[in-house]
Amino acid sequence: MNCKTLLVKNQMLELNRVVAYLDELGEEWELSVPLVFSLNLVVEEALTNIILYGFDDQLEHTIEIDFKNDLDQLYITFIDDGIAYDPTLKEDPDISLSTEDRQIGGLGIFLIKKIMDKVEYKRKENKNFLILTKNIIV
Amino acid sequence: MKVIQSDTSIVKIAFSGRLDSNYVSNNEVKFFACLNGLEAPVVLDFSEVSFLGSLGIRMILMALKEVKRQGFTLKIENADPNVKYVFEMTSLGDLLL
């Protein structure tokens, strides 16, 4: 099993570093280009939610992102010490509505659920754990 | 973002790079300023767009509502397959030319 950890601060500019990191990870683990694109989307959505809505103070926080790859599954775990929030409980936006009637927002977690095969949430020791699994059997 | 053409036949705006949260916060105001007092349908050129995140989709949806309110259409052209996939996944494929 391959494991890698990336630590980021709760600042939006950190996303640029994360993008570069994911590109390197994709090369190192020989992931397909569409898969790396999907992971980019998922990681950006999850991280944006945590950075923008996860903290109720102005302090600097560190968010841990663990990547694991056991050949047929890829796991991404986000660990933060922000306020307790379970994004899996959020209702999906109604995408059957016509485009002009569509609600704006709420698409982030929906995209994560669409792309990943499993989305789990746990609260342990005052920390949020968001665990995403993608089957990568080719 | 760059305005390619803006007259009584078409308003064409090209985006480039990653349409992520940073991009949206840097370009949103400028983009919506281009949609003031429209006289023609809007086409967004995505040929240089490499990534589309949910905040990018949100910006496009808000633009769509604004353009429709003024009685025009908004379409997206030249999106690459990865970006098309995001539109289709969110059932917004009908925005694509």
Side-chain angles (χ1 to χ4, degrees), chain B residues 29-40:
Chain B
V29 172
K30 198 171 140 197
F31 175 45
F32 282 97
C34 298
L35 304 177
N36 274 335
L38 287 172
E39 293 177 31

Side-chain angles (χ1 to χ4, degrees), chain A residues 81-131:
Chain A
D81 62 351
I83 47 178
Y85 176 64
D86 180 355
T88 63
L89 298 177
K90 189 161 172 67
E91 241 178 78
D92 289 341
D94 186 353
I95 59 164
S96 68
L97 293 172
S98 71
T99 42
E100 55 266 49
D101 294 330
R102 289 278 289 277
Q103 68 198 83
I104 288 168
L107 279 169
I109 184 66
F110 173 73
L111 283 170
I112 294 174
K113 286 198 249 174
K114 286 275 263 196
I115 291 170
M116 302 306 276
D117 293 295
K118 204 155 129 196
V119 179
E120 299 161 280
Y121 170 83
K122 282 181 197 150
R123 179 84 180 169
K124 275 193 301 197
E125 294 157 0
N126 286 326
K127 286 185 175 170
N128 295 305
F129 289 73
L130 180 65
I131 307 139

Side-chain angles (χ1 to χ4, degrees), chain A:
Chain A
M1 161 118 49
N2 289 315
C3 299
K4 292 206 106 174
T5 295
L6 174 66
L7 299 177
V8 297
K9 303 281 174 214
N10 56 325
Q11 293 157 7
M12 289 304 277
L13 279 174
E14 286 282 75
L15 285 171
N16 299 332
R17 201 158 63 82
V18 174
V19 170
Y21 184 88
L22 281 173
D23 285 344
E24 276 172 33
L25 188 81
E27 274 182 32
E28 197 182 320
W29 288 0
E30 296 174 355
L31 306 174
S32 71
V33 172
L35 179 61
V36 173
F37 183 91
S38 299
L39 296 182
N40 249 297
L41 191 58
V42 162
V43 171
E44 181 186 326
E45 298 308 336
L47 210 50
T48 302
N49 276 340
I50 296 169
I51 294 171
L52 294 182
Y53 311 113
F55 304 99
D56 53 6
D57 57 38
Q58 301 300 316
L59 304 174
E60 187 173 277
H61 294 263
T62 300
I63 301 155
E64 178 178 334
I65 314 173
D66 294 328
F67 298 90
K68 280 184 201 158
N69 176 1
D70 69 0
L71 296 181
D72 51 23
Q73 277 182 319
L74 193 101
Y75 308 89
I76 310 174
T77 306
F78 296 83
I79 307 165
D80 69 79
D81 62 351
I83 47 178
Y85 176 64
D86 180 355
T88 63
L89 298 177
K90 189 161 172 67
E91 241 178 78
D92 289 341
D94 186 353
I95 59 164
S96 68
L97 293 172
S98 71
T99 42
E100 55 266 49
D101 294 330
R102 289 278 289 277
Q103 68 198 83
I104 288 168
L107 279 169
I109 184 66
F110 173 73
L111 283 170
I112 294 174
K113 286 198 249 174
K114 286 275 263 196
I115 291 170
M116 302 306 276
D117 293 295
K118 204 155 129 196
V119 179
E120 299 161 280
Y121 170 83
K122 282 181 197 150
R123 179 84 180 169
K124 275 193 301 197
E125 294 157 0
N126 286 326
K127 286 185 175 170
N128 295 305
F129 289 73
L130 180 65
I131 307 139
L132 314 176
T133 310
K134 176 80 180 166
N135 300 327
I136 49 170
I137 308 159
V138 279

Side-chain angles (χ1 to χ4, degrees), chain B residues 7-73:
Chain B
D7 52 37
T8 50
S9 65
I10 195 167
V11 174
K12 196 176 217 179
I13 299 166
F15 289 115
S16 59
R18 298 176 51 87
L19 260 68
D20 57 13
S21 28
N22 286 329
Y23 186 96
V24 170
S25 53
N26 290 333
N27 289 278
E28 202 168 23
V29 172
K30 198 171 140 197
F31 175 45
F32 282 97
C34 298
L35 304 177
N36 274 335
L38 287 172
E39 293 177 31
V42 177
V43 172
L44 305 177
D45 185 345
F46 266 49
S47 49
E48 300 293 319
V49 173
S50 58
F51 178 84
L52 176 67
S54 73
L55 290 182
I57 297 174
R58 181 177 173 275
M59 181 176 80
I60 303 294
L61 272 177
M62 285 168 67
L64 176 75
K65 284 176 199 254
E66 174 56 23
V67 172
K68 289 230 164 157
R69 194 186 61 78
Q70 296 184 48
F72 293 102
T73 58

